[in-house]
Amino acid sequence: METVTAWWQTPWVALPIFGVAATAGAVFAALTHEDAPPPVGLCPDAGPDGGLVEGVEYAERRSGGAGPDETLPMLVVLHGRGSTGAELADLATAIPIKARIIGPLGAYRSEGGGFRWGDPAGTVDLAEDAGFLYNFLEQIRRCRPTAGKPVLAGYDQGAEVAYLIAADEPVLVSGVVGAAGRPHPDLGPVRAPTVALHGMVDEVVPYAEVQEGWAAMVGAGAPLRLIRMFGVGHSFAGALQIKLWQEASRLLAVADPSREIGTRTPSG
């Protein structure tokens, strides 16, 4: 089961990485409203604290003192094995800008408690499970007052699912941030702007197992930035958690995350 600790309960709290707060005032000027919200009757089970959309249960939180009826940029957070959407959404309220935070719940109970993506028996692959989130991501931003497309962030299994969405359905999100996630064996090149965080001493998903695949993707021109976290393992605490929120906040605060991450032109 994953270890989850709030960033403010760790000795890393003094790291000066929340400079994005200064950009908060530019968020709403930069983001555009792409879709009008649907009639209330189309989202009967979507509420300010959570609910059910497209068969997916979710928790909602807000950061920066935002109110439930404000039109806000949206951060969708995907938890890892043994956690819940509400738990990760609670932690994400630490981001220093106003945002609506949505935490979907994995469909399966984890062996050690909490929930997970993909059933423990392995009969439902994570790629298949990611498919259940496609309609959810399309509808949740219409069911709640949202500016632009969501930013998607995930840890552990949640990162693996997020990477699959970045490759398969990039139009659903404006950007993706993953932490300590193993790229799925069938993962194609990511097409949504993506930041991959990985601990150099990760004992669950060793860095050596992911380095070559990510490097090849960057070399081919994918909009991907790999950030190595030195001295960091797999536990979602301290520097890894803080960096995830920092990068998610950065993407929420810009109109075009592809400019923030950059895209390389393939050589040859």
Side-chain angles (χ1 to χ4, degrees):
M1 190 174 87
E2 66 176 36
T3 301
V4 179
T5 307
W7 66 271
W8 58 85
Q9 295 175 337
T10 76
W12 300 88
V13 68
L15 290 176
I17 67 171
F18 274 152
V20 292
T23 65
V27 172
F28 299 107
L31 293 171
T32 59
H33 299 265
E34 298 184 351
D35 300 284
V40 175
L42 294 182
C43 302
D45 300 316
D49 298 316
L52 191 71
V53 168
E54 294 293 329
V56 177
E57 184 179 344
Y58 75 95
E60 176 177 324
R61 304 290 185 266
R62 291 164 296 278
S63 61
D69 298 325
E70 289 187 58
T71 298
L72 300 165
M74 178 179 285
L75 174 62
V76 178
V77 293
L78 303 181
H79 64 81
R81 254 181 306 260
S83 187
T84 67
E87 185 174 17
L88 198 58
D90 285 339
L91 295 175
T93 59
I95 64 175
I97 63 175
K98 281 189 172 186
R100 173 167 284 105
I101 300 162
I102 301 294
L105 183 67
Y108 307 95
R109 289 195 174 274
S110 185
E111 306 90 323
F115 288 78
R116 58 174 288 155
W117 308 95
D119 70 314
T123 56
V124 178
D125 184 77
L126 277 185
E128 181 181 350
D129 216 21
F132 292 112
L133 289 174
Y134 296 164
N135 287 344
F136 174 81
L137 287 169
E138 180 68 27
Q139 295 303 327
I140 188 64
R141 69 188 179 103
R142 293 188 167 98
C143 291
R144 305 294 294 135
T146 305
K149 294 180 181 180
V151 168
L152 183 61
Y155 166 69
D156 183 64
Q157 268 196 330
E160 184 172 338
V161 174
Y163 297 148
L164 284 162
I165 292 170
D168 297 340
E169 296 291 338
V171 298
L172 297 178
V173 295
S174 63
V176 168
V177 186
R182 187 190 309 275
H184 190 274
D186 297 330
L187 181 70
V190 297
R191 294 182 288 162
T194 300
V195 178
L197 311 175
H198 214 93
M200 296 297 288
V201 292
D202 190 324
E203 69 286 356
V204 177
V205 184
Y207 177 75
E209 292 184 9
V210 304
Q211 178 184 16
E212 185 175 349
W214 286 138
M217 206 175 287
V218 171
L224 171 72
R225 182 157 58 98
L226 173 61
I227 298 178
R228 296 175 295 170
M229 304 289 291
F230 290 92
V232 172
H234 196 78
S235 176
F236 191 52
L240 188 65
Q241 183 183 159
I242 295 173
K243 190 63 174 174
L244 181 69
W245 302 145
Q246 179 201 16
E247 294 300 324
S249 298
R250 195 187 308 279
L251 296 184
L252 285 167
V254 297
D256 183 2
S258 65
R259 292 180 180 271
E260 184 76 6
I261 293 173
T263 303
R264 291 180 55 180
T265 302
S267 59

